[in-house]
Amino acid sequence: LDLNRDLNRMYADLRALHAGDTDPAGFAWIDLHNADQSVFAFLRRDPADPSAPPVVCVFNATPVPRDDYWIGVPEAGSYVKILDTDDARYGGSSYSREQRVRADAHPSHGYPFRLRANLPPLAAVFFRPDR
């Protein structure tokens, strides 16, 4: 499956996804209290390199798309989508065609900025700052 190959490559290439597995500084919840919409999100980072961009991981566990979903993030600016498990190449619907989202200065989920993204149904979407 292409998804398995792409996930393995992404995991190996992005230290934020694995370098902090045994360090609490490598993981932070963003949104873990949205049981009503069955959405959860967390942040992964490389604790050995605080200047490295974090990875924002968002999961929609329902068959209902979530448009304009707010996700708290630590940095302003443009974020690029690095994974969308709903992409047509993985057999998905390609519901969300946005490849970049912008973080604005509105606090959300305990972070100083927020992204507004369209979350596809039954999917994981990962973003990272475009810097």
Side-chain angles (χ1 to χ4, degrees):
L1 217 178
D2 285 341
L3 178 58
N4 285 337
R5 184 195 68 229
D6 291 351
L7 285 172
N8 285 333
R9 184 178 308 130
M10 185 175 58
Y11 187 78
D13 291 346
L14 296 175
R15 288 187 44 84
L17 293 176
H18 63 85
D21 281 351
T22 60
D23 186 337
F27 177 91
W29 281 110
I30 296 174
D31 186 2
L32 75 153
H33 298 292
N34 192 344
D36 290 341
Q37 293 181 310
S38 295
V39 173
F40 62 96
F42 55 83
L43 186 75
R44 293 300 311 260
R45 66 180 103 216
D46 180 356
D49 185 2
S51 66
V55 176
V56 177
C57 308
V58 187
F59 300 81
N60 179 6
T62 71
V64 178
R66 305 290 180 199
D67 290 336
D68 294 322
Y69 193 84
W70 294 2
I71 305 152
V73 294
E75 300 178 20
S78 179
Y79 282 67
V80 64
K81 185 180 353 178
I82 59 172
L83 174 71
D84 181 351
T85 62
D86 185 55
D87 192 293
R89 70 179 174 221
Y90 305 134
S93 69
S94 289
Y95 176 81
S96 175
R97 300 202 191 287
E98 61 195 355
Q99 294 303 310
R100 294 185 187 289
V101 292
R102 191 123 190 102
D104 56 27
H106 287 79
S108 185
H109 302 110
Y111 290 90
F113 305 98
R114 72 171 181 204
L115 300 176
R116 290 177 60 165
N118 296 324
L119 303 181
L122 300 170
V125 183
F126 290 10
F127 299 96
R128 72 184 279 194
D130 188 16
R131 53 176 161 115

